[in-house]
Amino acid sequence: MAARSGGFVGKVLRVDLSTGKIGTEDTIERYASVLGGAGIGYRVLWDEVPAGTGPFEAANKLVFAAGVLVGTSVPCNGRATVTTIFPTCWPRPLVGSGHMGGHFAAKLKYAGYDALIVEGKADKPVWLMIRDAHVEIRDARHLWGTGIRRTTLEISQEMGPDCVVAAIGQAGENQAPMGMVVNSVSHSAGGVGGVMGAKNLKAVAVQGSGAVRIAGDKGEWEKLVKFHLSLLGGNNQHVVPSFPTPQSEYYNPASRWIGRPGKRWGAAKPPVEITGNIHDVNRIAYRTNSAAYFLGEEAWKYTVRGNGCTACPIRCHTMLKVPSVAAKFGIPDTAQNTCIALQFGRKFFKGLDGKNSGEAAIEACMVGMHLADDLGLWSNYGQLQRDLQKLYEGGYLKAKLGAKEYASIPWDKYENADPAFLLDIIPRIANRQGELGDVLSRGTGAIFDQWSIPEAEWAGDHTTTYWKMGHPKHHANEDDGQCGVIINTQYNRDAQCHSHSNFVRNGLPLDVQKKLAAGIWGSPDALDAPGDYTPANVHKARRAKWALVRKELHDALGVCNWMGPWAASPLRARGYAGDDSLESKFLSLATGQAMDREALDAAGERIFTLHRALTIRDMGQMDMRARHDLVPPWVFEDPRGAAPFAKGSIRMDPADIARAMDFFYEAMGWDKETGAPGRARYAALGIADVGEKLAAAGLTPQDAK
């Protein structure tokens, strides 16, 4: 990249809380090869954080990083990654990233920084004030012990309403591994709040008056933005509506594009009725209502509007106004969120976990959103809630907890699916109150350690959807067969990868999907319909690689992997094809440095391989295949006894998954016996120094001792 490249704003801010030293370094000189986002985070951890460092040690670092395209007009560009030694990874902490939307990443860029590196530990609670080039470490003792909402309000009153505050609540202050950081009211990065708390860092607030320079032709840029908008579907890039309409050739009832004309945002003032052409790019936000998708038709009458991140027309955070919760539970009647965070409260109750489960479910969601987003407590993609269900219903808690503590918990409210139960259990966890609160605050691995419960009791249970290392599956075999399994083996937390599932679940008929698949991955056999799986093949493995590389690229560019990639589109005139080179076109125009799809994919593979190298180094273990890339037993079983590849079953076959992993390692250029890259692969990806260091430690295949 040229020294005056656009896209990057040029500086990385570094703050040492131990010494108070504040400085900057040049982004392009050091980090251009890893682009931004998690790429910068991985590079900092590789270079600066010694193997074996614990997540709450002062030597650990937090890297808040925006991507190259953040702060531009690229649709869906508001993502930030927070990379660190991840505290919920079990049995040993390893590298991981939390991801958050909102407006923090853009503000960081507008202030003049591509990333913020936080190191050391303050001797008292502090918050970090960033106002363009003016950066201060300020006293936060008056904020310590308060929730995220009050912290955000007080800092905003001090700095001005145009700042963005990323703060922790009591969970983070208590160094709960399940703590999270929240910005822009409801946009959170899970698992990193406790690391902030360990550094005595209450919040980071950013005010920026700058802009992001586009180096390429502005007219071409505007054309590409308009083209990108034309490719967008609904939430998670579902490209057909869920309802039949003469305006669309296809529809799919499972699509998240549920904004049928005639539906109303009933709590808006005045109520808003959805009208007009479903393909109008100025009305894209009407397509998505996450609350109605997850909770059912009842949610429409409580909908105020959609909300979301910088430059995103999808607005997947649904804002709800439910007057009854103020009187019943003493909380504000308005809240907003999306996906699992939207459902944080109701996920504790089995009886409420379904569409059209009524007002009790919506009230539980409201209570859960209010408490979790204020206390800063993460759900671990719903694993927290499933853990509590299994612990209670399996009799573990009655056997393990003392009688006094067990009796202090209002289990009658739990059994009656009363949202008032949440007023007890969520603060109990965030504040690490009692043995139950402490264990649940530390994540699933703490259950195994504290109470000597074998991991196999979770890993063999379909209802927990537990995968490995203290984390659940995330769009695995239930969505995408072998491809989903491969993806779920690769990270040290839940995969957070949507590249594959967004394509498989986009709503198009299978024959159309297969035609698109042939053009991208070389064969229509690169995918199957969910629950109708065929044996592994090399094309599925290549698609798994593509999905992982795209996930890393999106984290590095700062665009949303919940919406991308844009491999399919709503456009019949294009044969429903998207544009697999869209990211490289934007990057080329932003930076002024031409980079085609293949070159950008190589950069994504470099970033992904750096994550692999960090994992190998910190595990002190080269045999990733046997020790890391694990598949839980429930994947190889069907509760009804169906055989692998039986239609309607998501059961996988062990021998077939072994073949799928062979294909994947081959596609990555890794050793098939160990799943580890060799020195030559590191060198080919431009990170020879990483390969040499691992080789010296005997952690590359040809150098094993």
Side-chain angles (χ1 to χ4, degrees), residues 194-258:
V195 180
M196 283 183 67
K199 294 185 176 300
N200 274 328
L201 180 62
K202 178 66 177 178
V204 179
V206 187
Q207 208 169 37
S209 61
V212 179
R213 176 177 175 266
I214 301 302
D217 182 83
K218 305 305 185 292
E220 292 301 313
W221 178 269
E222 287 300 318
K223 287 180 185 177
L224 192 60
V225 168
K226 290 178 180 178
F227 172 65
H228 190 181
L229 289 171
S230 78
L231 300 183
L232 294 184
N235 182 223
N236 281 67
Q237 193 52 9
H238 291 189
V239 298
V240 304
S242 64
F243 48 88
T245 169
Q247 298 178 39
S248 181
E249 183 179 14
Y250 304 116
Y251 77 98
N252 189 313
S255 173
R256 298 191 186 193
W257 182 336
I258 66 171

Side-chain angles (χ1 to χ4, degrees), residues 149-150 185 304 319-336 362-374 423:
R149 287 184 178 83
R150 179 179 167 187
V185 180
V304 178
M319 179 178 288
L320 299 176
K321 184 179 179 66
V322 184
S324 62
V325 300
K328 286 184 180 180
F329 308 109
I331 65 169
D333 65 2
T334 304
Q336 63 182 26
I362 292 174
E363 289 179 345
C365 288
M366 295 293 290
V367 176
M369 282 189 282
H370 171 75
L371 291 172
D373 286 346
D374 197 38
L423 299 174

Side-chain angles (χ1 to χ4, degrees), residues 156-349:
S156 296
Q157 288 174 335
E158 184 172 341
M159 287 188 68
D162 61 333
C163 74
V164 173
V165 180
I168 60 172
Q170 290 87 333
E173 291 177 359
N174 291 317
Q175 298 180 35
M178 290 286 287
M180 63 185 184
V181 57
V182 178
N183 85 87
S184 306
V185 180
S186 61
H187 297 269
S188 58
V192 297
V195 180
M196 283 183 67
K199 294 185 176 300
N200 274 328
L201 180 62
K202 178 66 177 178
V204 179
V206 187
Q207 208 169 37
S209 61
V212 179
R213 176 177 175 266
I214 301 302
D217 182 83
K218 305 305 185 292
E220 292 301 313
W221 178 269
E222 287 300 318
K223 287 180 185 177
L224 192 60
V225 168
K226 290 178 180 178
F227 172 65
H228 190 181
L229 289 171
S230 78
L231 300 183
L232 294 184
N235 182 223
N236 281 67
Q237 193 52 9
H238 291 189
V239 298
V240 304
S242 64
F243 48 88
T245 169
Q247 298 178 39
S248 181
E249 183 179 14
Y250 304 116
Y251 77 98
N252 189 313
S255 173
R256 298 191 186 193
W257 182 336
I258 66 171
R260 181 199 300 255
K263 292 292 184 185
R264 303 182 60 175
W265 294 350
K269 291 187 177 181
V272 174
E273 183 169 318
I274 298 173
T275 60
N277 189 320
I278 67 170
H279 296 303
D280 185 348
V281 295
N282 293 315
R283 295 291 184 270
I284 289 173
Y286 290 132
R287 298 174 186 171
T288 292
N289 183 329
S290 293
Y293 176 78
F294 288 110
L295 303 177
E297 291 293 305
E298 189 78 9
W300 281 104
K301 73 180 182 182
Y302 297 115
T303 299
V304 178
R305 60 184 170 89
N307 205 351
C309 311
T310 303
C312 182
I314 301 298
R315 321 309 284 172
C316 73
H317 276 227
T318 304
M319 179 178 288
L320 299 176
K321 184 179 179 66
V322 184
S324 62
V325 300
K328 286 184 180 180
F329 308 109
I331 65 169
D333 65 2
T334 304
Q336 63 182 26
N337 224 304
T338 190
C339 197
I340 300 298
L342 168 74
Q343 305 172 75
F344 190 102
R346 79 155 181 172
K347 285 286 186 182
F348 281 98
F349 308 107

Side-chain angles (χ1 to χ4, degrees), residues 349 351-352 360 364 412-419:
F349 308 107
L352 299 183
D412 57 332
K413 290 183 172 63
Y414 173 76
E415 291 174 347
N416 292 323
D418 182 346

